[in-house]
Amino acid sequence: MGRDEQGTADTTRALQALAIAGAVAALAGTSPAAHAEPAIAGDDQPQSRILGGTGATTDDTPWVVALTDRYGNQYCGGTLIRAGEVITAAHCAHDPLTGAERSPKDIRVIAGRTDLRSSQGDEAQVDDVWVHPGYEDFTTGDDLAVLKLSAPLPQRPLPVVAPGDTTSYEPGTKARVYGWGRTSEDGPASDTLRSVEVPVAADDTCRSAYPTYDSRSMFCAGYPEGGRDACAGDSGGPIVADGRLIGVVSYGTGCGRPGTPGVYTRLASYVP
Ligand code: ARG
C-alpha cells in the first residue's frame, strides 16, 4: 500500500507531523505532557509505539533505501545488495491501483537519508526492473523484485543470506526490520527511519495466521502477543539477521496484532 493514495507529499507530511502526537496519545492513553518527546526518539515500549520500534539512522545501516514515486512520495523500502542493485518486493514494482508494473522511470531510490524531509544522501534512477516471474500477488509468494540502478550508489551494500540457509529461519532467531512505514495500523507513516527486532516464528504459527502461507517462499516473524511489527509502507524493506539480509517485508493482516506475525519473502530460497 502506498502513501501516494493519501494526497500530495507536502500536505501529507505536514498533516502527519500534526497527527502523530495525537495518534500516539490516543493509542497509548497518555497525558498531553508526554507528547513533547519527539517521534524520532525511540524506546522499546510496545505500548508507546504500536509498531514498537525505535529510531534508526542510515549512518548505521546505509544499505536501507526508500522507494519514492515520481512525485517524491515514499511508498516502499528496499535494500542495496550491490552498488547498482536494490532488492525489494515484487508488489512494490506494481501500481497498487491499476496492478500494472511501474515503469522504471516512476521509481526513485533514496539512499543515505534518515529523514525523508531532508535532502541528505543520494537519489538513483532505475534503468530496469526484474520481477520474479512466479509473482501473482503477495499472498501466493515470490514477492521479490530487483531494481537495476542507472548509476552505482556510494552506500555500503548488505550481504545476502547464503542459498539454502536454514539456520537464519529457525524459530526464535532475532531479526531486525527497517522502514519508513506507519508507526501504528491506522496512523501516519514515519518521516524518519525506524527499526524493530522481531523473532522468526514457526511455520505452523504462520500457517494458522495465513491460509496461503508457503514455507518455501515465505517466513514470518513477530511476538505471539504482537506489538512489534512492520506496517504499511515498510514493504520491500530489509529484515536482517546476523548481518545478512534474510528477507523482504511482504504482507500482514493489520500491524502488530496478537497471533498475526508479519510475512517476509524467504530470500535463501531465491539466491543467487
Ligand atoms: N504490504 C505492506 C506494504 O506494502 C507491508 C505490510 C507488512 N505488514 C506487516 N504487518 N508486517 O507496505
Side-chain angles (χ1 to χ4, degrees):
M1 303 297 277
R3 263 176 298 186
D4 34 359
E5 299 157 42
Q6 298 174 3
T8 68
D10 290 348
T11 314
T12 306
R13 296 247 171 239
L15 290 172
Q16 282 167 359
L18 289 171
I20 192 161
V24 171
L27 290 161
T30 52
S31 69
H35 315 149
E37 178 199 9
I40 187 174
D43 56 44
D44 259 329
Q45 302 300 310
Q47 61 271 30
S48 68
R49 308 256 190 273
I50 292 297
L51 186 76
T54 58
T57 157
T58 55
D59 295 342
D60 297 334
T61 56
W63 30 261
V64 192
V65 301
L67 304 188
T68 66
D69 63 16
R70 65 162 90 193
Y71 308 107
N73 297 308
Q74 183 272 340
Y75 69 94
C76 269
T79 309
L80 196 65
I81 55 157
R82 295 160 184 271
E85 247 172 58
V86 165
I87 279 194
T88 187
H91 80 264
C92 294
H94 288 78
D95 187 305
L97 300 178
T98 64
E101 251 182 60
R102 289 176 194 259
S103 145
K105 64 179 191 317
D106 290 335
I107 307 175
R108 281 293 164 88
V109 174
I110 312 288
R113 190 174 298 169
T114 300
D115 187 334
L116 296 178
R117 293 164 299 192
S118 82
S119 55
Q120 276 190 311
D122 299 86
E123 295 190 19
Q125 289 180 315
V126 176
D127 257 357
D128 192 39
V129 180
W130 175 87
V131 175
H132 192 286
Y135 174 76
E136 287 168 17
D137 70 80
F138 49 75
T139 63
T140 57
D142 297 338
D143 193 6
L144 186 64
V146 177
L147 312 177
K148 305 269 166 59
L149 309 182
S150 55
L153 281 168
Q155 283 76 15
R156 172 170 57 87
L158 184 66
V160 178
V161 70
D165 179 284
T166 53
T167 55
S168 304
Y169 304 96
E170 266 161 27
T173 298
K174 289 279 196 291
R176 186 165 279 274
V177 56
Y178 297 84
W180 287 267
R182 296 182 181 198
T183 55
S184 67
E185 199 174 303
D186 301 310
S190 180
D191 286 319
T192 53
L193 181 64
R194 301 186 67 82
S195 85
V196 69
E197 193 178 82
V198 279
V200 173
D203 285 332
D204 282 348
T205 308
C206 313
R207 216 169 276 120
S208 58
Y210 304 101
T212 65
Y213 177 79
D214 165 32
S215 62
R216 186 198 58 85
S217 62
M218 309 168 189
F219 73 98
C220 75
Y223 291 92
E225 69 275 23
R228 302 180 193 198
D229 194 5
C231 201
D234 290 323
S235 276
I239 184 165
V240 180
D242 209 13
R244 287 179 182 270
L245 183 67
I246 64 165
V248 174
V249 178
S250 182
Y251 69 98
T253 301
C255 307
R257 298 186 189 180
T260 314
V263 186
Y264 300 84
T265 306
R266 187 183 293 246
L267 277 181
S269 299
Y270 295 96
V271 284

